[in-house]
Amino acid sequence: MQVYRLVLFNKLSTTNEVTVSPYYTHYCVLYSASAIAWVGSSAWLFFVNPSIDLAVTINMMSAACLSIGGVNVLSPCYKILRPYCFLICVPFALAAGAFLEAPGNYTIACLILGYGLFIFGMGKQQHRAYWQALNDNLNLSAQAAELEKAKVAAECAAQAKADFLASMTHEIRTPMNGVLGMAQLLAMSDLNEQQKQQVNVINNAGRTLIHIINNILDYSKMDAKQLALEQLLFNPRDVVNEAVLLLSVQFEKKPIKLACIMDDIPEWVQGDPYRLHQVLYNLIGNAFKFTDEGEITIKVSCQKSHDEDTVTFIFTVSDTGIGIAPEYRQYIFDQFYQVNQFNSNIRGTGLGLSITQRLVEFMGGVISVESTLGVGSAFTVELPFTVTEDIKMGLSPVSGGESDIHTETLRILLAEDNKINQMICEQLLGKLGCVVDVVETGRGALEKFTENKHYDAIFMDCNMPDMDGFLATAAIRQVEKNTEGSETPIIALTAHVEEEVRHKCLESGMNDFLSKPFLLEDLEAIINRIRIGAFF
């Protein structure tokens, strides 16, 4: 019987698909036969040893306990447990009562029946507990499978949303480049006061719209966990000044004084200047929105951290605006929550502070707020940046001063397939003292470069027919390599702002990245870098 059990076990363990009924019948017969074998051997033991002495009693009780104790093994299958227990206990007790000498025979028979009933009761409890646990595990497995499906569906939905938003922002940015570009060109022409005001409205509205689009795109990236941080060397003073300068035009609309206080801070640090700029832009813009008069102050200081190569910058943006009531302060970083629900004159998306908090935490920092209703608010951001000895000792500024920028005419090759963008780029570059050759395809850019290799720079659109900007850049770099010529600065022009597109541009051989729609000051900064040779 033991050999037969091993054969059944081997069949079960090596078979992928099991038909339960035949195996169940085999096991019923097998365990019933085992019970009869145990009872038969015990009855024979009682028959040949009818006198009850200590040795016989110990042997008989041990045999009974061993036989009955094995019942619990069958507790998962109640239909086998019940006949096996009956066949073990009842004949065992009858054999003890029939073959052993009185009066001890009844005592042993009762002990066997009592122990059998106890084991049978325990087996029933274990049967219920086993199947309850199995059902619970099956339910948990089913729930885990459903949760995994829901997780995959949610991730796919988040990815689809991120892809959709990226595509939509790309489609929006292209015409926005035409709107903002034309508005900037109009602002530089001869206009009367009313026309200047109208153009300024277009400029400000366009900048605000681009800011909202950037916030929405960043929000979708953070939800999809696709946001990545740059690790670049930058001057924190420049980042603060750029954010202040970008918003300074708006301060002409209100009687608000803008002050910037910077303590003794490192000149160069390593981190992500773009995200820092975005955080400061959001905070200063938020302060301006909720302040009608008074002052907005940006204070920058730093303190040493536990790591010798890390310094913690503290940026505080305080205002004399409407303030925030204590009961609403805990909600201001929630998405789509707007304090303007208490002031109908203030509009917004409710995403600025939510994105700012998530960006700060993503950069390893913290943001806090102190506010008094009717007095003003102060937002404080603490961010860690790297300051190594190499940065302290070996770094020099990459941009020169005003005297280093020459004003000679630059020869520029512009590869752009959109007619409106061609016109805007050509006219803006002309305002900056450049002569522009325009082509509409990447292949045209390669041919034009091969014919005239003396361009000071190439502005390359990434998405063009026939040959895109990436392939055209790689081909131009190969031409330069074959002719052992110096590299020409190539600047990507694209409405895509994703990090993967930026890295793809740099990997293809481009030197910089200018996203559409761009401002005149952004284009001017790149032209100045070309003039001083800062790309190489």
Side-chain angles (χ1 to χ4, degrees):
M1 284 187 289
Q2 180 63 26
V3 171
Y4 188 42
R5 286 176 64 182
L6 291 174
V7 171
L8 288 176
F9 173 77
N10 183 61
K11 287 183 178 180
L12 281 171
S13 61
T14 56
T15 304
N16 293 328
E17 296 182 2
V18 178
T19 304
V20 176
S21 298
Y23 286 99
Y24 176 75
T25 303
H26 283 292
Y27 272 102
C28 283
V29 173
L30 179 62
Y31 279 102
S32 297
S34 299
I36 293 171
W38 276 104
V39 169
S41 61
S42 300
W44 176 80
L45 181 64
F46 294 156
F47 179 75
V48 298
N49 295 286
S51 60
I52 302 177
D53 57 14
L54 181 60
V56 172
T57 301
I58 292 174
N59 286 332
M60 291 179 181
M61 293 306 297
S62 298
C65 291
L66 287 171
S67 303
I68 298 170
V71 171
N72 280 336
V73 177
L74 302 175
S75 58
C77 186
Y78 186 69
K79 291 183 179 180
I80 296 179
L81 168 69
R82 185 170 50 193
Y84 183 84
C85 191
F86 178 82
L87 290 175
I88 282 286
C89 294
V90 175
F92 217 129
L94 290 176
F99 297 125
L100 296 179
E101 295 179 356
N105 56 342
Y106 298 116
T107 301
I108 293 177
C110 290
L111 288 174
I112 292 172
L113 287 175
Y115 184 61
L117 289 173
F118 171 74
I119 292 297
F120 181 70
M122 291 294 294
K124 288 182 68 176
Q125 289 183 2
Q126 291 180 9
H127 173 79
R128 286 192 291 268
Y130 173 83
W131 286 105
Q132 182 63 45
L134 184 61
N135 287 331
D136 291 344
N137 286 335
L138 290 174
N139 290 334
L140 288 174
S141 298
Q143 291 176 6
E146 290 297 325
L147 289 174
E148 183 64 26
K149 290 181 181 178
K151 177 187 174 185
V152 172
E155 289 175 347
C156 291
Q159 183 61 47
K161 181 180 72 173
D163 294 341
F164 172 77
L165 288 174
S167 177
M168 286 300 99
T169 53
H170 176 269
E171 295 304 318
I172 293 172
R173 282 173 177 277
T174 299
M176 275 302 300
N177 191 53
V179 174
L180 276 178
M182 285 300 179
Q184 292 176 92
L185 288 170
L186 275 175
M188 290 184 284
S189 60
D190 293 331
L191 302 174
N192 59 39
E193 287 301 320
Q194 184 179 9
Q195 291 171 333
K196 287 180 180 179
Q197 290 177 359
Q198 293 169 346
V199 171
N200 285 336
V201 169
I202 297 174
N203 262 319
N204 292 332
R207 291 175 186 233
T208 301
L209 179 58
I210 289 301
H211 180 61
I212 293 172
I213 292 171
N214 289 337
N215 279 343
I216 294 173
L217 185 60
D218 284 339
Y219 196 83
S220 68
K221 283 182 180 180
M222 286 184 278
D223 274 350
K225 297 182 180 179
Q226 293 179 340
L227 194 67
L229 292 178
E230 298 282 356
Q231 290 297 322
L232 305 173
L233 297 178
F234 69 94
N235 189 326
R237 291 179 181 271
D238 291 344
V239 175
V240 176
N241 289 332
E242 286 172 7
V244 172
L245 182 63
L246 191 60
L247 288 162
S248 60
V249 179
Q250 300 185 27
F251 282 79
E252 299 175 1
K253 305 174 184 178
K254 296 180 181 180
I256 301 174
K257 180 183 177 182
L258 179 61
C260 186
I261 304 171
M262 296 194 201
D263 292 345
D264 185 16
I265 59 176
E267 185 177 2
W268 296 93
V269 296
Q270 187 174 24
D272 194 329
Y274 308 111
R275 298 305 173 190
L276 174 60
H277 182 278
Q278 187 175 357
V279 167
L280 294 175
Y281 185 92
N282 283 349
L283 291 179
I284 300 171
N286 190 72
F288 176 81
K289 185 190 302 182
F290 295 101
T291 304
D292 291 328
E293 59 182 3
E295 184 179 28
I296 294 177
T297 304
I298 302 99
K299 185 177 180 180
V300 184
S301 60
C302 67
Q303 61 184 17
K304 294 182 179 180
S305 62
H306 300 294
D307 188 350
E308 293 182 357
D309 293 337
T310 303
V311 63
T312 300
F313 276 72
I314 303 170
F315 304 90
T316 302
V317 179
S318 56
D319 61 64
T320 56
I322 62 174
I324 308 167
E327 60 269 25
Y328 302 120
R329 204 174 300 161
Q330 58 180 323
Y331 303 114
I332 61 173
F333 293 112
D334 293 347
Q335 58 185 10
F336 308 117
Y337 180 82
Q338 301 179 52
V339 179
N340 64 6
Q341 57 188 295
F342 311 109
N343 187 338
S344 59
N345 295 322
I346 300 175
R347 302 288 181 181
T349 61
L351 282 176
L353 287 179
S354 174
I355 291 175
T356 299
Q357 183 191 41
R358 296 179 71 173
L359 281 175
V360 169
E361 292 175 351
F362 189 63
M363 295 168 71
V366 293
I367 183 171
S368 59
V369 58
E370 294 181 0
S371 184
T372 303
L373 190 63
V375 177
S377 306
F379 287 84
T380 301
V381 173
E382 298 182 19
L383 289 172
F385 293 105
T386 302
V387 183
T388 63
E389 289 299 324
D390 293 338
I391 297 175
K392 295 176 184 177
M393 305 299 296
L395 187 66
S396 59
V398 294
S399 59
E402 293 291 336
S403 59
D404 296 326
I405 300 176
H406 305 292
T407 58
E408 71 270 10
T409 301
L410 296 182
R411 188 176 177 86
I412 303 295
L413 175 60
L414 172 64
E416 170 65 65
D417 63 324
N418 186 282
K419 295 293 186 182
I420 295 176
N421 289 335
Q422 286 178 7
M423 181 171 56
I424 291 169
C425 292
E426 187 174 7
Q427 292 185 29
L428 288 176
L429 287 169
K431 295 285 185 181
L432 297 173
C434 301
V435 176
V436 184
D437 289 339
V438 180
V439 292
E440 295 186 354
T441 65
R443 191 171 302 280
L446 176 60
E447 293 173 355
K448 199 77 173 178
F449 177 80
T450 306
E451 295 172 4
N452 306 283
K453 298 177 183 177
H454 54 279
Y455 287 107
D456 296 296
I458 302 172
F459 285 84
M460 184 77 71
D461 184 25
C462 292
N463 298 324
M464 290 183 291
D466 190 18
M467 177 186 285
D468 62 29
F470 306 110
L471 294 176
T473 299
I476 289 172
R477 293 301 185 215
Q478 187 61 45
V479 170
E480 292 173 335
K481 184 178 179 181
N482 293 338
T483 58
E484 298 182 353
S486 60
E487 287 193 356
T488 303
I490 301 178
I491 294 87
L493 279 178
T494 177
H496 287 290
V497 293
E498 297 85 356
E499 294 299 328
E500 53 267 26
V501 177
R502 182 188 296 271
H503 290 304
K504 187 177 179 181
C505 291
L506 298 178
E507 289 172 359
S508 67
M510 299 182 189
N511 303 98
D512 208 342
F513 183 96
L514 185 61
S515 61
K516 305 172 189 174
F518 53 83
L519 303 176
L520 177 62
E521 50 263 36
D522 299 329
L523 186 61
E524 185 178 13
I526 289 180
I527 292 299
N528 288 338
R529 292 178 63 195
I530 294 171
R531 283 197 166 105
I532 65 174
F535 283 104
F536 304 107

